[in-house]
Amino acid sequence: MPSAPASPSTARAINDRLALRLLQEQGPLTASRLKELTGLSRPTVADLVERLQGAGLVRVVGESGAERRGPNAKLYGIAADRAHLAALDVRLRGVTVTVTDLLGAPLAEASAPIGGDMDTGPAVERAAALLERTVRESGATRLHTVGVGAPGLIDPATGALRDSAGLPDWHRRLVTVLRERTAATVLVENETNVAAMAELREGAARDRDTFVLLWLGHGVGAAVVLDGAVRRGASGGAGEIGFLPVPGTGALPSAGDCSGGFHSLAGSAAVRALAARYGIEAAGSDTEGEPAGASAVRAALDGLAGHGPGPADSPGPGAADGPGPGAEDGRGPGAEAAGAFLDALAERVALGAAAVCAVLDPGCVVLGGELGHAGGAALAARVEQRLVPLSPLRTEVRASDLGGAAVLRGALLTARDAAQDALFGTPPAPHG
């Protein structure tokens, strides 16, 4: 039975939403250009522009360079200061905050370390105060939505961050406190999932609607994107591949400890130890700041580029007992050692990727996180090559475009989408 035509109010809502989306994606437009892009009549476009201006969502922002006469010469744009957004990237030892306008243009950003020895109360206060201070410094007057990207499981029923082994108590308490101290809507999402959304919308997977993001940082994780949507699983735990049993660890993970799982092969501490076997020293720490594994990967790539000693001075793959010649003189690894390390790392990453591909067949794997970003195309190509004999499923491997910044960007996209849905309105479905 054919559906009944949309009611006038439904048609107006659909037209308004279409116009707002065009203004968001293409910037200020004239009424005549809106008419061309939407296919609507001139009177209908005039009505919707007047309606959106009355709602405070659209305003005149200038004049078209090509047209200087008549009402159609006016350029209409979204009122970006109609609402303000905030996003938080919550890590084990710190938090980063950004505040933006409704379109996502940055107004202020700040970070604060939170030591592992800090009690829950002071840690939560430092993080919450950082958000409040950054909002004041940005000049924002109406904070509408806050997006939070954090490690751990998100309960799909309540949207709350669940208690997870190894994560500090202040993480879960922070979300509750933010909701108590701000009138804004606070949304929390797993850090790997928001990173995947950022790669989908703005990063390495812009041309894909199905892929898997392998997060390689202090720890490891995965995000599953199918048909343009993140799939979280029945309990929010889809992608917890740190617990994935893989060969080469000599043990099995348990429900409360991922040691013996894929984490023991590809987490930053494991990558740092692997690098040391090839005489590659890693800067940084595996408890705060950039993962040491990312430093090791960059050092290896420098060695391949010829910034280290020659192959004759470098340890070979058999140097398992410690650094060999060339690692102690400060010149970095040679090409032979660097290549051998990257090959060994690629073999490890390919084990986890092969298991994921056997179940999901995503067609594309993005290596994200600080290690994936540091490895770039060189590491991605090695992993893709090693996937070929492990899986009959053709899979492209790409490097992240956003790296560690993907979490903050994804949290902001989460906040922006929610705020725009609330302010722009979701068109009701026509009655059938």
Side-chain angles (χ1 to χ4, degrees):
M1 180 178 179
S3 299
S7 67
S9 61
T10 297
R12 285 193 296 269
I14 293 172
N15 293 340
D16 290 355
R17 183 65 182 239
L18 174 59
L20 286 164
R21 192 60 63 193
L22 289 169
L23 289 169
Q24 176 193 8
E25 294 173 352
Q26 300 195 25
L29 299 169
T30 63
S32 61
R33 182 59 176 154
L34 277 172
K35 174 181 177 297
E36 293 173 9
L37 293 172
T38 61
L40 300 172
S41 68
R42 187 177 299 276
T44 299
V45 170
D47 286 344
L48 75 83
V49 168
E50 182 178 357
R51 197 162 49 244
L52 294 175
Q53 283 185 288
L57 295 173
V58 167
R59 64 168 62 109
V60 177
V61 296
E63 290 186 340
S64 168
E67 300 175 26
R68 291 297 183 184
R69 301 178 61 184
N72 288 347
K74 294 177 181 177
L75 278 170
Y76 297 97
I78 289 178
D81 59 355
R82 174 69 169 76
H84 293 99
L85 315 172
L88 284 78
D89 178 2
V90 179
R91 298 298 178 100
L92 293 179
R93 297 291 184 266
V95 61
T96 299
V97 174
T98 187
V99 178
T100 76
D101 64 19
L102 181 58
L103 291 177
L107 302 174
E109 185 169 319
S111 299
I114 298 178
D117 57 348
M118 186 175 291
D119 291 336
T120 298
V124 169
E125 177 59 32
R126 175 173 290 186
L130 178 70
L131 172 62
E132 293 167 346
R133 183 170 66 251
T134 308
V135 170
R136 288 194 301 271
E137 292 173 353
S138 74
T141 56
R142 287 176 287 186
L143 191 61
H144 186 282
T145 307
V146 179
V148 180
L153 301 180
I154 309 300
D155 190 319
T158 65
L161 187 63
R162 293 170 51 187
D163 187 14
S164 300
L167 296 180
D169 291 338
W170 67 267
H171 279 198
R172 285 179 294 109
R173 179 62 183 154
L174 174 61
V175 174
T176 301
V177 168
L178 291 180
R179 288 172 174 158
E180 293 171 349
R181 289 169 60 158
T182 179
T185 300
V186 178
L187 306 173
V188 61
E189 178 61 276
N190 172 267
E191 61 176 353
T192 308
N193 286 343
V194 294
M197 289 308 298
E199 296 288 354
L200 173 69
R201 303 266 288 275
E202 302 177 349
R206 287 188 298 274
D207 61 338
R208 293 274 184 171
D209 63 0
T210 295
F211 70 100
V212 168
L213 173 73
L214 286 188
W215 184 268
L216 305 173
H218 289 293
V220 297
V224 179
V225 178
L226 303 178
D227 299 324
V230 172
R231 307 300 180 179
R232 297 169 176 81
S235 62
E240 288 294 318
I241 61 169
F243 290 88
L244 184 71
V246 290
T249 65
L252 288 174
S254 66
D257 187 359
C258 60
S259 297
F262 184 54
H263 172 82
S264 295
L265 288 184
S268 179
V271 173
R272 181 177 191 169
L274 178 67
R277 293 172 55 186
Y278 294 90
I280 300 172
E281 295 185 1
S285 166
D286 281 314
T287 58
E288 55 186 293
E290 182 187 60
S295 171
V297 171
R298 274 198 306 275
L301 290 174
D302 284 345
L304 284 181
H307 300 303
D313 298 322
S314 305
D321 296 327
E328 299 176 355
D329 58 12
R331 293 181 294 162
E336 183 179 340
F341 161 66
L342 292 173
D343 287 344
L345 176 59
E347 289 175 3
R348 291 185 173 194
V349 175
L351 286 176
V356 170
C357 292
V359 176
L360 297 174
D361 186 19
C364 179
V365 170
V366 175
L367 303 185
E370 295 88 350
L371 275 72
H373 188 58
L379 179 60
R382 282 172 161 81
V383 174
E384 181 174 327
Q385 183 182 37
R386 281 154 184 80
L387 266 180
V388 173
L390 292 177
S391 172
L393 306 174
R394 183 177 178 85
T395 305
E396 182 182 4
V397 181
R398 301 178 179 179
S400 163
D401 282 348
L402 303 174
V407 175
L408 190 64
R409 188 61 193 168
L412 177 60
L413 290 172
T414 299
R416 193 183 76 181
D417 288 351
Q420 290 181 357
D421 282 344
L423 294 171
F424 295 175
T426 301
H431 297 291

